[in-house]
Amino acid sequence: MKAEYSDEPSMNYDAHDAHEASIPRGWSAWFGGPRVRIGPRIAPQIAPISNEIRDSESDLSSDAILNKQIEEEANCAIQYRTCSWQKTAALLFSEYICLAIMSFPWSYSVLGLVPGLILTVVQALLVLYTSIILWEFCLRHPEVRDVCDIGQMLFWGQKWAWYFTAVMFILNNTFIQGLHVLVGAKYLNTMVGPNAGISCQTVSFGAIVCVICWLSSLPRTFSMLSKLGTASAAFTFISVILATIFAGVQDHPAGFNAEPTTDPTTGAALPFGNPIVTAVPILGTTFVSGLGAFLNISYTFIGQITLPSFIAEMREPKDFPKALWACTILEILVFSIVGAVTYAFVGNQYMTSPAFGSLIPLYKKIAFSFMIPTIIFLGVLYASVSARFIFFRIFHTSRHKNEHTVVGWVSWALILLATWIVAFVIANSIPFFNSLLALMSSLFDSFFGFIFWGVAYFRMRKADGAVALLRDRSFRGWFEGILNIIIILTGLFFLSAGTYASVQGILDEFALGTVGSAFQCASNGI
């Protein structure tokens, strides 16, 4: 049958009582646990691809759907709802504690130290808040497997919303895979130098990284990947701490010149003098460069696109905020300290992105080498999210989904291979780090970091029987209502002005000749 979508509460009781009973209250609304209240659905249960639903399950409660999913997997060889909140925290750490941390010093050099630190904390808290909204939505609709199901439900069950979200979802994940192919090639080039005698060096290194990442993507469950994620986050933490220490103990940043000098090849003036650190943006900072720096910060924090997939594999989704809070606190501390301290020692003139390039060669190679697990794993994580999105829809009711079959494993491997081939093309088409981060942030984070969750808030409150700003006249109702309007407007700003700034930044870099060409063979080492 066709699912009927409505903004009315899905249960027949007084709207005021529904509002009081279902809107999350108290500590459990922010930190999770067994006392969490689960509000009414905003729409009937949907199938992954179409609006067809099974009559026998359309009226099940959220807890009943969750228990049914666990029961159906109980005797299967491959089980998906197996993650504890600790394993989910490991996945979050591995997603957020990543190479993009080393773009923070550059962002602070553009924005100034004080605005940079303020924006870091504000962005972290916004992502925390919208992630809690997302979690509440997933509790109400435990059958959703990814953000595409949420997209369809948010926009009144429209098929175009599912397909639009699916395209953005796959593109976002594949761009991130491409970023890690680019950085992998950059790492190998940094280690071997520009004259390694390898044919078409950068493209060849990118192909090697692709193959390694494809093989590493083959595990089918997040429970298995969480073990790799823990190691990845640990190595990344060591890498950024070493880079921060090295920035402080080296005599001068890489490229230091005591007196004014010029590049002997191009005749261009080179940076000189002691590192300059500013509390506010320097005079002449443009809108494009400032917004690009902020988009770099935003990209590192915004990862809500994967959270529905993580929650969908938790045995007890009510515990998700424990993982979320642990990760957010660590993010704020690590990002701020690494960004501020590294910037303080490197300064504006000698800053590179990632900031490893501002270290002398020996320190650079040591610190960068500890980033290898993350260069591989984070791309693997997003490849796995994309592959399971496609795989689950091909084999939704098939035994190939939960059993070890040749068809299942070959299909899984081929889906992954296709995503890595596209990622390889992206990595070689936009071969520079900062602009690729900014472009991804403006195109995809506008929806998956802001717009979706502002809309989700209002849809859930409508289902609760009291829309903030209209019926809920409490301070919390007004505050959260205004906050979510601001969140939606922020997403629209990212999408419009952010995309303009990102594209203009790419054009400027090509025009100035500060970056290489697409599919370049020359070394892109730092």
Side-chain angles (χ1 to χ4, degrees), residues 173-431:
N173 295 350
T174 310
F175 264 74
I176 292 175
Q177 291 173 245
L179 176 67
H180 285 263
V181 172
L182 168 65
V183 175
K186 189 181 288 287
Y187 167 77
L188 292 175
N189 274 315
T190 300
M191 293 299 109
V192 304
N195 301 309
I198 299 172
S199 177
C200 206
Q201 186 167 314
T202 295
V203 175
S204 298
F205 283 156
I208 292 171
V209 172
C210 259
V211 172
I212 294 172
C213 289
W214 172 60
L215 294 174
S216 301
S217 304
L218 293 176
R220 292 254 294 267
T221 66
F222 285 137
S223 180
M224 187 178 298
L225 284 178
S226 69
K227 299 181 178 71
L228 301 175
T230 302
S232 169
F235 274 91
T236 302
F237 185 75
I238 294 171
S239 175
V240 298
I241 294 300
L242 281 176
T244 305
I245 293 171
F246 289 157
V249 301
Q250 65 185 0
D251 292 333
H252 300 289
F256 174 80
N257 296 292
E259 302 294 337
T261 186
T262 58
D263 187 315
T265 303
T266 63
L270 295 174
F272 69 94
N274 292 324
I276 298 172
V277 178
T278 57
V280 296
I282 62 173
L283 189 64
T285 300
T286 65
F287 172 79
V288 169
S289 61
L291 187 54
F294 175 56
L295 290 172
N296 270 233
I297 292 175
S298 299
Y299 165 81
T300 312
F301 279 109
I302 295 174
Q304 296 98 313
I305 192 171
T306 62
L307 300 191
S309 302
F310 294 166
I311 295 171
E313 294 203 13
M314 291 187 71
R315 181 166 289 275
E316 183 44 85
K318 291 180 180 179
D319 288 335
F320 177 72
K322 298 175 183 177
L324 190 62
W325 276 96
C327 186
T328 301
I329 292 170
L330 185 63
E331 282 179 306
I332 293 174
L333 292 174
V334 173
F335 295 179
S336 299
I337 293 171
V338 169
V341 174
T342 303
Y343 172 49
F345 285 108
V346 172
N348 293 332
Q349 318 99 295
Y350 309 107
M351 185 58 65
T352 63
S353 184
F356 294 119
S358 302
L359 304 175
I360 62 175
L362 176 61
Y363 291 164
K364 172 174 60 181
K365 291 181 179 181
I366 293 173
F368 206 176
S369 292
F370 277 94
M371 196 63 75
I372 293 174
T374 293
I375 292 173
I376 296 171
F377 176 79
L378 194 53
V380 164
L381 180 64
Y382 279 89
S384 182
V385 170
S386 292
R388 76 192 342 96
F389 164 73
I390 299 170
F391 186 83
F392 284 172
R393 278 150 182 81
I394 296 174
F395 299 108
H396 177 57
T397 57
S398 168
R399 69 187 184 93
H400 302 301
K401 174 185 172 186
N402 291 95
E403 301 295 338
H404 295 292
T405 66
V406 173
V407 171
W409 277 104
V410 169
S411 300
W412 176 257
L414 290 177
I415 292 168
L416 286 167
L417 180 61
T419 67
W420 282 111
I421 290 173
V422 177
F424 172 78
V425 173
I426 292 172
N428 285 280
S429 300
I430 311 177

Side-chain angles (χ1 to χ4, degrees), residues 129-130 133 450 453-458 479-489:
Y129 176 74
T130 54
I133 292 175
F450 297 99
W453 317 123
V455 173
Y457 172 83
F458 286 110
F479 177 79
E480 289 199 69
I482 294 171
L483 176 60
N484 280 277
I485 290 173
I486 292 173
I487 286 171
I488 293 171
L489 293 176

Side-chain angles (χ1 to χ4, degrees), residues 78-141:
I78 301 175
Q79 298 178 11
Y80 294 96
R81 275 204 180 271
T82 55
C83 277
S84 63
W85 76 263
Q86 292 91 342
K87 287 183 178 180
T88 304
L91 289 170
L92 291 178
F93 288 147
S94 64
E95 179 183 6
Y96 290 110
I97 308 301
C98 62
L99 178 67
I101 297 172
M102 298 309 292
S103 72
F104 273 65
W106 175 82
S107 293
Y108 292 173
S109 73
V110 175
L111 297 169
L113 187 57
V114 173
L117 288 171
I118 291 173
L119 288 172
T120 297
V121 175
V122 169
Q123 187 64 62
L125 295 178
L126 274 176
V127 170
L128 173 66
Y129 176 74
T130 54
S131 297
I132 288 175
I133 292 175
L134 184 160
W135 163 68
E136 182 189 345
F137 188 96
C138 289
L139 287 182
R140 297 183 186 217
H141 313 89

